[in-house]
Amino acid sequence: MTMAKQENVSQETAWHALEMEQVLNDLKVHDEGLTTVEAEKRLEHYGPNELQEASRPGFLVMLWDQLNNFVVILLIVASVISALLGDYVEAIAIMSIVVLNAVLGIVQEQRAEQALAALKKLAAPEAQVVRDGSRKSVPAYNLVPGDIVFLEAGNFIPADLRLLEAVNLRVEEASLTGESLPVQKNAATVLDKNVPLGDRKNTAFMGTVVSYGRGRGVVTSTGMNTQLGLIATMLQSVETEETPLQRRLDQLGKSLSIGSLILVFVVFIVALFNYTEVSGFFSDPAAYFKTFAEQITEVFIIAISLAIAAVPEGLPAVVTISLALGMREMIQRHALIRKLSSVETLGSATIICSDKTGTLTQNEMTVTRIWADGQFVSVSGTGYTPKGDFQVNGKPVEVKQYPAILSTLWLGVLNNDAEIESTGETDSQQTYRIVGDPTEGALLIAAAKAGAIHVDIDEAYPRENEVPFDSERKRMITIHDVTNPNPEDPSPFYDKKHKDWDVIAMKGAPDIVLTLCSKYQGMDDKPREMTEEMRKSILAANDVMTKEALRVLGFAYRADKNIPDNIEEVKTEDLEKDLVFVGLMGMIDPPRTEVKPALERARHAGIRTVMITGDYPNTAKAIAESIGLLRPGKGVMTGAELDTIDDNKLKVVIEDTDVFARVSPEHKMRIVDALQANDEVVAMTGDGVNDAPAIKRADIGVAMGITGTDVAKGTADMVLTDDNYASIVSAVEQGRIIYSNIRKFVFFLLSSNVAEIMIIFLATLAGLPAPLTAIQLLWLNLITDGAPALALAMEKGDPDIMDQKPRAKAEPIINRSMGVGIFVQTFAQTGAVLTAFVMGLVWHLEAGASIPDGANLLSFVLNHDWRGVDVQTAETMAFVTLSMAELFRAYTVRSERASIFKIGLFSNKYMQYAVGISITLLLLVCALPFLQPIFNTHFLSGREWGLVVGLALMPAIAEEITKFFIRRNNH
């Protein structure tokens, strides 16, 4: 069945805005459900209830995408040329790099496209429906619009439903809407047509979970026409863009390779003029090639060697290794990288769009304040660990000195359906989880901090009956038998006189609970007549906590010895009269303690954080203010307000908006698009299905590893294993370090390569022999340059890395400062090597007594006919000078700004290994007799070593002087 055939009528109908009877009429179904025959017809018409994937590219298409890159193509050409020249080692090395990069790229693409497969796992495999007038189980795959589905706690919602019945039905929609608490459903309500997803109380959505109660609903949408399906469609329509690193490397490769190849071509032509009679080519080409075949071949080999040196074939490998090492470091910082290049992208981020629940907060409701009889008591501790203090005015107190506070906690345990479960130990500490509603779990944890164990209280005061929570009544009643009152428990019963009585316990909205109370509990645990002054005090306390974005519940009770066992014999209003108001408890999903300093660190680094949440504006604002995310004078915008402005207006408004609340998936996409339109590099974090399209749209997507859905993880570039915003900032730091390291070895490799080209070019232009042979150039390119470049990838980063502002999105790798550095280094290295080479030529001529007395040495060397002359000494001196110059200056490029003495000469042990190994191999090449003919070297004399070492230090000194001026200009 094609996607086009799934033309559900539900796509155009706002079912939440219709009465239940109207919904059933429009779907042509009644209470007895569809017949099997009708269900089969609808299945044929609408198609199966499944999420369909866009067709995936084949292997050859993915392979071409990996190879269709300018630098990669040049590497392949260089490999072929190397093979034709007989250098199979070089050819194999280059092709190995190409193949490795292509394979890694294909694997990463395949893993990224598993997001839709993860979406499918969210769909329920079976559904309980009414067919032919009876209840039966059918595969969710076969559900059709009009099917009536039964819902129970723990069920996945198998399709989008318009509810027909909701008995205390609460649905966990955090993965779809971002709402941190289960949503109370109400089948009878009829809503406005334009109400947001998160507020559709009479609707249930595919892929969400029933957390409490039961219900019944009629299927309105299936497959790709559900809200989950719309998200899947958006995922397919989002195009994946290149990361900044990929764009910069491609730009670098093209610029460097084209420029270098032009220069190489010029070298080749100039060399032909120097070593052959080019005029013969135009008069008699055949005779020309026959006469100068040896010279032409030699010049061609030098040119090709320079071409291979010009193409940075080691760069992709070093970049890949650097990113892989960075990924290992990221894992230690609780960040798992799915795409290697994403490490750098995060380091260039200017905006972090962060979800609230679980990322900035702990995703664990926690009671933070309790009020009774005019007294506020704060509760410390966070999460589901029952450890914390009770404080008054910031000072710890013994909670037993406040009996009414204990009674409030006691009622929170009685009127509760949640349980605390031990989940083992982490770092030698017991860990727990909540089974049931998070709000009720928070009440149990608060009581446990006071030593009140819910199991013991439940045994002493077993529940006999209840009137479940109702969203309209906004309260819940439980009735308990006073079986074993104990002076040590937190109840208001200090002796056995109330044994076998009943206790009516109530919790609910404070204003509602208060209207049902004729008494209030004094701090001494004795009931007193309710006064108007006390009513105002209770409401004022509620207002204080509400303004702090706390969710507030009121607690009341009544002891009664005449309640019938059969609750149906008692009117609810009789249970709810003459209650004793005991206290209030305020709770919140608290911010992570490490988030505030992490936000400040990010802000100091020039990174702005924007909160995007499905939660309510007041709650989002309070959290944002408490952690310092909401900047002074900046605003909060809701999804409804977002709908009233166009994209151009959003681009302006978004600069002054730090919090977006009650947003939908489409809103998140618009926010990311607006930020990117303002030239921001956007990192989008999230954990739910609703976050996936924006995660994919952003420059880098960050998913939560603990609470995140498979969809978000599969779409993201990076997964946080601890769901912690602070880990994002650590990842930003590591990303900056890695990019800085990449810049260091790019600078190191390019300045070396350009210097090699200029050395050959100027020598050829001057009519001198080639200072470096082809094999020497390849050696320099693979060994002398490669090993230190790898060591640079191991740098720990400059100490001020997070004091720098993010790079401009369009800034190339070779920016102005690096361009100056390359010029200085090219000049220094070229000058040092040509000086050594010319001195070698002079000593060569002196050894043969070829220089007349009083002759100008430089002029004589330049005018001498060097054709056919073996200049082994001069070539060895040039080769050793350039090799040692590159090794010495490898120490100075370890920081782009700081002096080598500030960062420590020997602080990178890998650099010691790289330089030590390279110098050892260099000495072997010069000293071993069987290698000397291959590299055209000999072991230098003491005089030659003295000159070579002195000249080799010049580029390193020049680099330190350059950094000195960079530091002075920055200040």
Side-chain angles (χ1 to χ4, degrees), residues 111-115 118 338 703 709-717 719:
R111 291 177 62 186
E113 293 304 322
Q114 292 172 353
R338 297 184 63 251
T709 61
D710 287 342
V711 184
K713 295 176 190 175
T715 307
D717 303 297
V719 178

Side-chain angles (χ1 to χ4, degrees), residues 256 260 749-759 822 826 830:
L256 174 70
S260 299
L749 290 175
L750 297 193
S751 55
S752 298
N753 285 358
V754 173
E756 291 167 11
I757 294 172
M758 292 305 299
I759 290 165
I822 290 176
T826 299
T830 302

Side-chain angles (χ1 to χ4, degrees), residues 191-212:
L191 304 170
D192 182 76
K193 183 177 181 179
N194 296 318
V195 72
L197 280 182
D199 295 328
R200 295 182 187 176
K201 307 296 185 183
N202 59 5
T203 308
F205 303 106
M206 182 181 187
T208 58
V209 184
V210 178
S211 64
Y212 190 82

